[in-house]
Amino acid sequence: MAEQHVLINEIINDHTERMLNLKKYYPFFVLCDNTFSQYKEGRYRNLDMGYITFAVLRFFIDENNFNERPVEYPDYEKFITGLLKRDFELEESADELKELAAYIFNKINNDGRAFSFSFYDPEERKQKTIRVRLLESNISEGKVSYSITADGIEFYLDTKEVRDESRISTNQLLLEKLIKTENFRGGIDVVKRINSEVARLQKRRDEVITLMASDIKAGSKACDEFMSSTAKWFSEERQSFEKNKNLADKAISRISSESEQGSRRRYAEINELMTELKKAISNHSELIADTAELSRLSEEMISRAKRRALRPVFDYEDVLARIVRSDRPENMSLIVMPFLRPKMHKSFSPMLVDNMLKASDEDSLKGEKVEKTAADLSFKFEDEKLDDMIGHNFGMLFTELLDRLVRWDKLTLKEFIAILAVKFGEEIYDNRDFYSFLVHLAEKEYYVISKVLEKPETVLEKMAVSNMTESDTERYKNLEFNIIYDREEIVLKDDEEDRRVITNMIFNVIKQ
């Protein structure tokens, strides 16, 4: 019985909200239902009113929001007549096209009235009417102009984004309309969608870095696609953020001057909207900085990969992969044939053995000369050799870290690992000295290189200083940096038998 009670309550309580969510779709289906069947005795019934509606809404979005200007009727008429002749190949006279354009406009504008439909509210147990408009009009200086409503923008965005490259910009178009109509609760949901999109782009950037570390060609292509589809809209997105923040500021100043009871609720909503909007602006600024850093990092990784490609090494796996991609199995003969050549067998004649036994020289009659040799002072035991190798590796890794911090001021462990993988190969994931280096590096949270050079304290500092050159000490002596630990985990290997996960670090240079 309890489950049945919950079910019935959910049906009753959610019905009104569901109907309000459906209202933005209602005009579209009304327009698509026999719009041209009664006009001119069905002469234009081959026209697709759904396509025409989407085209008109897209035109208004472009003019109102991207070009920031109102649309007058002659502008609409020029657009729709061109569309009818181009997409439906109509060969009507100019007067007939103008008459058809006026008919379409009146249908989309519903003759100046709102589209309305009724539904039953089970909570209040009465019929309610919902009204929605796609276009709205405004009279200024004796001229009538038209613009798309917030419901029209939201309907268009729900069916498909205006620009695939910038979902942030398209969501901000809707946010602008909602702020102007003081629908702050709806604006909060839109800003949260913007934050989700920024987070998605940040995650995509991290995936590009990881891909570049494993496959520089595929990673370079992914980086170019990310930059072309994301960075090109940054300027426009930033302007939209500033515009919407100014609108929100004006709304706060206007509502704060009101004293009625209803303004308190709206004031709380606009404050919540401003909090989410500031968070979105901060996250977007961080995305811009990280994208610029990705550009510099990709150039460095591509340069490293080019230098490594010049090494005289024959990679059988790479050649095999290329043969598979080209689907030319006969090319395998170029690799296999050298191993199938006849072997040249050589033999040693037994006659030469007799000659060797019979042969003699003057040296054979002399005794063995014993020479006294001095002790080899450069001799090292195996553990000493191992210490030297570890010290060399620690010094090389520490110097590489300092070199990046001198250039970039900020570096994450994930980016540092990607650089090492490009420079030294993915074999570094299996190098025990690499993991030991990270453990020793985490002993301190703050490094002052001048003090490290003067008096090294830890094992890492002693090994790193002993393996630095004079040019290294001169270059890094003024460097100071700290280490901040991130919650993110970096998965270096994800096999069932061998899983390697390390915590991400952020290295920040301290400005003097």
Side-chain angles (χ1 to χ4, degrees):
M1 293 295 293
E3 293 180 356
Q4 187 72 12
H5 178 73
V6 172
L7 172 64
I8 294 174
N9 277 343
E10 286 185 354
I11 294 175
I12 294 174
N13 296 335
D14 295 345
H15 181 70
T16 300
E17 184 179 354
R18 294 182 187 280
M19 298 305 293
L20 292 175
N21 288 334
L22 287 172
K23 72 174 185 178
K24 55 180 174 289
Y25 300 101
Y26 176 73
F28 176 79
F29 294 104
V30 171
L31 292 171
C32 290
D33 187 18
N34 300 322
T35 299
F36 295 106
S37 60
Q38 304 298 325
Y39 179 68
K40 299 282 187 179
E41 299 179 353
R43 179 178 171 184
Y44 299 103
R45 62 164 54 105
N46 65 315
L47 299 181
D48 187 342
M49 191 59 187
Y51 170 74
I52 293 173
T53 302
F54 277 123
V56 171
L57 294 179
R58 177 66 180 84
F59 169 73
F60 273 89
I61 288 175
D62 193 74
E63 293 296 314
N64 293 157
N65 299 97
F66 295 148
N67 298 330
E68 296 185 356
R69 69 182 187 87
V71 176
E72 297 181 0
Y73 184 80
D75 301 325
Y76 154 80
E77 187 180 69
K78 180 180 178 181
F79 168 77
I80 198 65
T81 53
L83 179 142
L84 294 172
K85 289 190 290 185
R86 181 188 67 247
D87 297 338
F88 296 99
E89 299 180 349
L90 290 183
E91 298 180 356
E92 312 294 319
S93 64
D95 292 337
E96 289 176 332
L97 284 175
K98 288 183 179 180
E99 186 178 354
L100 179 58
Y103 175 77
I104 293 172
F105 185 80
N106 289 333
K107 283 293 182 181
I108 295 177
N109 200 31
N110 200 27
D111 294 323
R113 303 187 305 272
F115 293 91
S116 61
F117 72 97
S118 300
F119 71 96
Y120 179 72
D121 187 347
E123 284 189 299
E124 299 183 12
R125 297 186 177 183
K126 65 179 183 180
Q127 291 288 124
K128 286 188 175 181
T129 301
I130 294 179
R131 294 177 175 82
V132 58
R133 295 176 182 270
L134 296 179
L135 302 177
E136 57 188 3
S137 60
N138 183 40
I139 300 177
S140 177
E141 298 179 358
K143 293 183 179 181
V144 180
S145 59
Y146 302 91
S147 60
I148 189 170
T149 64
D151 289 325
I153 294 177
E154 189 172 4
F155 164 69
Y156 195 93
L157 295 183
D158 282 350
T159 54
K160 188 180 186 300
E161 300 289 358
V162 179
R163 301 180 185 180
D164 291 332
E165 298 89 344
S166 179
R167 298 180 185 177
I168 297 174
S169 291
T170 53
N171 277 293
Q172 291 204 82
L173 302 181
L174 177 58
L175 177 62
E176 179 183 345
K177 280 287 183 181
L178 293 173
I179 294 177
K180 287 182 177 179
T181 57
E182 296 189 0
N183 184 0
F184 303 127
R185 175 54 53 188
I188 294 170
D189 295 334
V190 173
V191 178
K192 288 181 178 179
R193 290 209 300 264
I194 293 175
N195 268 322
S196 299
E197 177 63 17
V198 173
R200 185 188 70 83
L201 293 175
Q202 283 281 24
K203 184 177 180 180
R204 176 57 183 156
R205 170 191 171 274
D206 295 339
E207 291 174 352
V208 169
I209 293 177
T210 304
L211 181 60
M212 291 186 71
S214 58
D215 187 346
I216 190 65
K217 291 183 180 179
S220 177
K221 182 179 179 181
C223 179
D224 292 339
E225 292 175 353
F226 179 81
M227 297 296 291
S228 62
S229 63
T230 303
K232 62 186 293 187
W233 303 111
F234 281 159
S235 178
E236 178 182 321
E237 291 165 0
R238 181 176 284 174
Q239 292 175 2
S240 298
F241 273 123
E242 294 177 357
K243 183 177 181 181
N244 285 324
K245 186 177 181 302
N246 291 335
L247 288 174
D249 289 336
K250 292 179 181 178
I252 286 180
S253 60
R254 183 174 64 255
I255 293 174
S256 60
S257 61
E258 300 176 0
S259 58
E260 67 268 15
Q261 184 70 21
S263 66
R264 296 181 181 178
R265 177 183 57 81
R266 291 190 298 160
Y267 189 76
E269 290 178 349
I270 190 70
N271 270 331
E272 185 178 353
L273 174 64
M274 284 294 294
T275 301
E276 293 292 334
L277 187 58
K278 289 177 182 178
K279 187 191 301 182
I281 294 173
S282 176
N283 293 339
H284 188 261
S285 299
E286 185 176 350
L287 173 63
I288 294 175
D290 290 344
T291 302
E293 188 176 353
L294 172 63
S295 178
R296 295 194 300 269
L297 182 62
S298 65
E299 292 177 359
E300 180 70 20
M301 296 173 76
I302 291 172
S303 177
R304 296 283 189 185
K306 287 180 178 178
R307 288 197 290 270
R308 289 181 60 206
L310 297 176
R311 295 185 302 174
V313 176
F314 186 84
D315 190 341
Y316 286 92
E317 292 183 358
D318 180 61
V319 174
L320 178 60
R322 280 186 283 163
I323 292 174
V324 172
R325 285 197 299 268
S326 62
D327 195 19
R328 296 289 299 276
E330 63 271 15
N331 290 341
M332 282 294 296
S333 62
L334 301 176
I335 301 175
V336 177
M337 286 302 295
F339 298 102
L340 301 180
R341 290 178 180 175
K343 295 182 179 180
M344 303 297 293
H345 294 284
K346 296 183 179 181
S347 60
F348 193 79
S349 175
M351 299 297 294
L352 294 177
V353 178
D354 294 338
N355 295 335
M356 292 173 62
L357 295 174
K358 294 177 181 179
S360 61
D361 52 22
E362 295 180 358
D363 293 337
S364 63
L365 301 177
K366 296 179 180 179
E368 183 180 359
K369 185 177 181 180
V370 179
E371 295 182 357
K372 293 183 179 181
T373 57
D376 186 6
L377 300 178
S378 63
F379 174 80
K380 290 186 178 181
F381 292 97
E382 292 300 324
D383 57 343
E384 294 177 325
K385 294 179 181 179
L386 182 60
D387 289 343
D388 291 343
M389 182 184 68
I390 295 174
H392 172 74
N393 291 342
F394 278 15
M396 183 170 54
L397 293 171
F398 195 68
T399 304
E400 187 68 27
L401 175 63
L402 298 182
D403 184 62
R404 298 296 157 182
L405 291 176
V406 165
R407 285 192 267 176
W408 292 352
D409 292 343
K410 181 182 179 182
L411 183 71
T412 65
L413 180 57
K414 181 183 291 187
E415 295 167 342
F416 184 53
I417 292 174
I419 293 170
L420 295 178
V422 172
K423 186 172 183 179
F424 304 112
E426 294 187 9
E427 296 82 3
I428 196 168
Y429 296 155
D430 299 320
N431 193 312
R432 291 174 295 181
D433 292 347
F434 168 66
Y435 298 99
S436 178
F437 168 76
L438 295 179
V439 172
H440 284 283
L441 185 64
E443 289 183 10
K444 297 175 64 174
E445 296 183 352
Y446 188 82
Y447 284 86
V448 180
I449 303 304
S450 59
K451 294 183 179 179
V452 172
L453 295 173
E454 180 181 351
K455 186 179 180 181
E457 298 176 351
T458 64
V459 174
L460 171 63
E461 292 178 349
K462 294 176 182 178
M463 289 186 174
V465 170
S466 62
N467 284 275
M468 280 188 182
T469 63
E470 293 184 2
S471 60
D472 291 338
T473 56
E474 185 65 26
R475 176 178 171 80
Y476 308 128
K477 65 180 181 180
N478 296 323
L479 183 63
E480 298 181 16
F481 69 94
N482 62 5
I483 303 175
I484 300 174
Y485 296 93
D486 197 0
R487 295 182 179 178
E488 181 182 3
E489 291 186 342
I490 305 172
V491 180
L492 298 180
K493 204 166 185 178
D494 197 11
D495 297 340
E496 293 182 0
E497 299 179 355
D498 185 11
R499 176 176 171 82
R500 301 177 189 176
V501 180
I502 59 177
T503 303
N504 191 26
M505 301 179 184
I506 302 175
F507 307 99
N508 294 302
V509 174
I510 308 301
K511 298 292 185 180
Q512 296 181 350

